[in-house]
Amino acid sequence: MQAGLMEVEEPVRLSSILTVSKLSFLPSLTKIVGTLGPKSRSIETIEACLRAGMSVARFDFSWLDGDYHQESLENLRIAVKNVKKLCAVMLDTVGPELKVYNTNGNSIELKTDNYVTITPDVTKPPSNEVFPINYAGLATSVKNGVTIFIGQYLFTGSETTSVWLEVSVAVQSCTFLTIRFSWDEVASDKPVLISTVQVVETKGADVICQVKNSATLSGPVLTLHVSRVRISLPTLTDTDKQIISNWGSRNKVDFISLHYTRHAEDVRELRTFLNSQNLHETQIFAKVETVEGLKHFDEILREADGIIISRGSLGIDLPPEKVFLFQKYALYKCNMIGKPAIITRVVDSMTDNLRPTRAEATDVANAVLDGADGILLGAETLQGQYPVETVNTAEKVYSHYLNFKRIAKHVGEPMSHAESVALSAVHSSMKVKASLIVVFTSSGGAARLIAKYRPPVPVFAIIIPRLRTNSLKWTLAGSSQSRQLLGVRGVYPILASPHMATSGRSSEESGLKVALQHGKSIGLLSPKDRVVVFQKIGNSSVIKIVEFED
């Protein structure tokens, strides 16, 4: 370095901007979670989404029932077979979500400065004057001036389809009170009142709010979110437990997204319940969407298998610039320990438009540059007009070497043997300009360790099935581990044939040939390209560099 000059690490190289992006079978290292719904649940549309890059299908039980979602899942299974691509299944819990059930289906017109009453009396139909909700404790939780947001699918980002309310009065209405007075017998100039008011019966609590923006609300379910107010409902509700016991257990779901995760104990409670339902392998993604969850983020991260940063809800509890800062903080924390992080609310405008705005495209790019493993598409695919085009929107520019050095520095020394070999595999792929990394694994742990160091090339994880027994029968495990890797950035699982579980080294060599030929067939490999291979020989983890020969 010349005297007086500072060497600056380039976050992005100019050549990567000027080079035309190439289309391939693997559209992006960043994973895409798509929500299946009315506009995206047909077999043909799911096939198109899978080809476009969707790797995880999300089933949101805030909408409709298990039968509806089961039909969508059956369509997904047919689509997976047709396009020959794996897709993981994510069950999204309801949690302590407050809802307005618009049973009559009519649109509700709200005007600025008008007043609307939020009531727990669900017998009243929703209108521009009354919003019935499924919670009786709102009036005791809010104060005057608190902001409340209501909209379909928790806001599309358009101020004309969601409404901002400000609490004016919280009214506790009672039918009658019984007041019992008791007087102390002790000597005193005046009797002493020692009992209090006893409420015998109440009609509930009404909250009167002022409308702050004109909007038209439509749809069967409108979500209500109160800014910075804790709702005294359990994170894992009885409804969630019933859904998991029935639908989740029957379909052996790969992931559960735990709505409104507020404490590490929420994750532990769900883990215990999953074990009771024989869902030991199901992974938990904690969905952080309130200030309360943000305050306990580090503890939640330690307990969860992955994190979903719910930017829509956080944007209600926090100012926009604070959401941006928390995103950077959370992604950094997840990257450093190698747990996947997914962000939401990325291309809201594509619910109605074919292309994202420039601001949205920049936002997606920055999230990926910050280290997001995946993006979650909600309304964009659930009810949007362009679900396939939305899935195609992915960012490919990423400073792998800069992030590699950052993570390696954080891990420090001495490293574990497995961590050291994984780091070496990624470093070698950069030095020899490899086109692919191939890793043999049974649990998926080795693939996750490699992905932690953000390699610049795809990782083909060959999942070797494991023989298991419960003293009554032998079974092969591996399919769940394969699908769960679909939530990890840059990893593409290949489930090996069952005989590899017992055939040993020779079988691994044949598995490597299958992986290399697959890489060639999708345009990743050409003759003389180098491939880094991570595998176990005996009790040792080793890497080798092979040159692909057609």
Side-chain angles (χ1 to χ4, degrees):
M1 185 171 66
Q2 297 179 8
L5 296 179
M6 181 180 293
E7 185 177 352
V8 179
E9 189 82 55
E10 294 179 356
V12 178
R13 297 189 181 278
L14 184 61
S15 60
S16 67
I17 301 170
L18 300 177
T19 303
V20 178
S21 298
K22 296 180 180 179
L23 296 176
S24 72
F25 182 80
L26 304 175
S28 172
L29 297 179
T30 304
K31 297 304 178 73
I32 297 174
V33 181
T35 305
L36 298 189
K39 296 295 178 71
S40 57
R41 69 192 296 256
S42 70
I43 296 172
E44 295 76 13
T45 302
I46 295 174
E47 288 177 1
C49 287
L50 291 171
R51 292 191 184 98
M54 184 179 76
S55 57
V56 180
R58 172 175 171 259
F59 295 83
D60 183 3
F61 276 82
S62 297
W63 283 68
L64 303 172
D65 57 19
D67 292 338
Y68 180 89
H69 290 302
Q70 190 64 40
E71 290 177 8
S72 300
L73 179 56
E74 296 304 328
N75 288 347
L76 172 67
R77 287 169 174 164
I78 295 171
V80 164
K81 290 181 180 178
N82 291 346
V83 302
K84 297 179 174 58
K85 291 187 71 173
L86 289 174
C87 186
V89 173
M90 175 180 283
L91 186 160
D92 203 59
T93 63
V94 178
E97 189 172 74
L98 304 186
K99 302 177 197 172
V100 177
Y101 290 100
N102 188 16
T103 51
N104 56 29
N106 297 330
S107 296
I108 301 172
E109 299 277 350
L110 296 170
K111 299 296 181 183
T112 304
D113 294 332
N114 285 356
Y115 287 85
V116 62
T117 299
I118 300 174
T119 177
D121 185 357
V122 293
T123 63
K124 295 181 178 179
S127 67
N128 59 2
E129 296 180 348
V130 176
F131 281 143
I133 63 169
N134 58 332
Y135 180 55
L138 188 61
T140 58
S141 303
V142 300
K143 298 178 181 179
N144 291 359
V146 166
T147 54
I148 298 176
F149 289 80
I150 300 177
Q152 188 179 20
Y153 205 69
L154 196 52
F155 329 123
T156 62
S158 169
E159 285 304 315
T160 60
T161 57
S162 58
V163 67
W164 168 31
L165 308 176
E166 184 176 284
V167 174
S168 296
V169 184
V171 182
Q172 180 73 45
S173 59
C174 304
T175 51
F176 59 89
L177 302 177
T178 298
I179 303 178
R180 176 173 57 86
F181 294 94
S182 179
W183 307 98
D184 200 332
E185 298 286 335
V186 298
S188 176
D189 293 338
K190 295 182 180 180
V192 180
L193 179 65
I194 61 172
S195 68
T196 57
V197 177
Q198 177 186 11
V199 179
V200 177
E201 181 182 355
T202 67
K203 286 184 177 178
D206 290 347
V207 178
I208 301 173
C209 303
Q210 185 179 26
V211 178
K212 306 302 288 186
N213 69 285
S214 297
T216 302
L217 306 184
S218 60
V221 181
L222 306 172
T223 305
L224 183 148
H225 187 94
V226 187
S227 179
R228 289 179 171 266
V229 171
R230 190 184 196 282
I231 301 302
S232 300
L233 292 173
T235 302
L236 185 66
T237 65
D238 290 339
T239 299
D240 293 327
K241 290 179 180 179
Q242 184 178 8
I243 291 169
I244 294 170
S245 297
N246 297 331
W247 199 89
S249 295
R250 181 168 76 250
N251 295 296
K252 298 293 181 184
V253 295
D254 304 299
F255 305 112
I256 288 185
S257 166
L258 184 59
H259 231 348
Y260 292 99
T261 305
R262 295 172 284 191
H263 298 271
E265 182 57 36
D266 296 336
V267 182
R268 289 191 286 267
E269 180 187 359
L270 175 56
R271 185 93 62 194
T272 300
F273 183 73
L274 291 176
N275 290 337
S276 72
Q277 301 299 310
N278 198 29
L279 290 172
H280 307 283
E281 295 180 345
T282 298
Q283 293 189 345
I284 300 172
F285 273 66
K287 201 170 185 182
V288 178
E289 43 196 322
T290 63
V291 167
E292 190 173 3
L294 182 153
K295 289 178 180 177
H296 301 97
F297 179 79
D298 290 352
E299 296 90 345
I300 291 170
L301 179 58
R302 281 195 290 269
E303 293 293 331
D305 299 299
I307 295 291
I308 297 176
I309 304 171
S310 183
R311 304 191 305 174
S313 299
L314 281 170
I316 297 171
D317 271 15
L318 295 171
E321 69 275 12
K322 299 296 185 181
V323 177
F324 168 76
L325 290 174
F326 174 66
Q327 173 179 298
K328 283 186 169 293
Y329 172 87
L331 292 177
Y332 174 82
K333 287 282 189 175
C334 291
N335 288 173
M336 291 306 105
I337 66 172
K339 289 188 178 182
I342 296 171
I343 62 166
T344 70
R345 307 304 301 276
V346 287
V347 282
D348 288 339
S349 71
M350 291 189 75
T351 303
D352 300 306
N353 300 298
L354 184 57
R355 288 172 60 86
T357 65
R358 285 184 290 275
E360 287 173 334
T362 302
D363 175 45
V364 173
N366 277 316
V368 173
L369 292 171
D370 284 343
D373 287 77
I375 60 175
L376 188 154
L377 303 175
E380 302 97 321
T381 53
L382 178 79
Q383 61 190 21
Q385 302 299 315
Y386 306 100
V388 178
E389 291 79 1
T390 299
V391 171
N392 266 316
T393 302
E395 176 56 41
K396 299 180 181 179
V397 177
Y398 186 78
S399 180
H400 299 91
Y401 188 61
L402 186 62
N403 283 277
F404 168 81
K405 292 200 302 182
R406 184 179 65 171
I407 296 169
K409 182 179 179 180
H410 175 82
V411 172
E413 298 177 355
M415 289 183 177
S416 67
H417 176 74
E419 186 106 31
S420 175
V421 177
L423 182 148
S424 298
V426 176
H427 194 231
S428 298
S429 73
M430 295 177 180
K431 290 299 183 182
V432 304
K433 298 189 184 304
S435 299
L436 183 67
I437 297 175
V438 176
V439 54
F440 291 87
T441 178
S442 294
S443 66
R448 286 187 175 85
L449 265 182
I450 289 175
K452 172 181 176 179
Y453 290 95
R454 323 303 277 187
V457 295
V459 178
F460 279 9
I462 301 178
I463 309 298
I464 304 171
R466 291 178 294 173
L467 282 169
R468 288 181 174 177
T469 181
N470 60 1
S471 75
L472 295 177
K473 63 178 181 178
W474 289 88
T475 57
L476 278 171
S479 58
S480 178
Q481 289 77 7
S482 298
R483 292 190 300 272
Q484 286 170 346
L485 286 174
L486 291 168
V488 181
R489 182 186 181 277
V491 178
Y492 296 88
I494 300 172
L495 184 58
S497 60
H499 76 274
M500 188 178 286
T502 55
S503 299
R505 179 95 182 270
S506 61
S507 185
E508 286 194 6
E509 291 300 324
S510 65
L512 176 59
K513 289 180 180 178
V514 169
L516 297 182
Q517 286 301 318
H518 180 58
K520 176 194 172 186
S521 69
I522 62 176
L524 279 177
L525 288 180
S526 301
K528 305 301 181 181
D529 280 356
R530 292 169 178 170
V531 177
V532 174
V533 181
F534 178 110
Q535 63 187 139
K536 276 202 167 188
I537 299 177
N539 293 323
S540 300
S541 298
V542 299
I543 62 169
K544 63 181 180 180
I545 300 170
V546 301
E547 193 170 275
F548 176 62
E549 296 179 359
D550 196 354

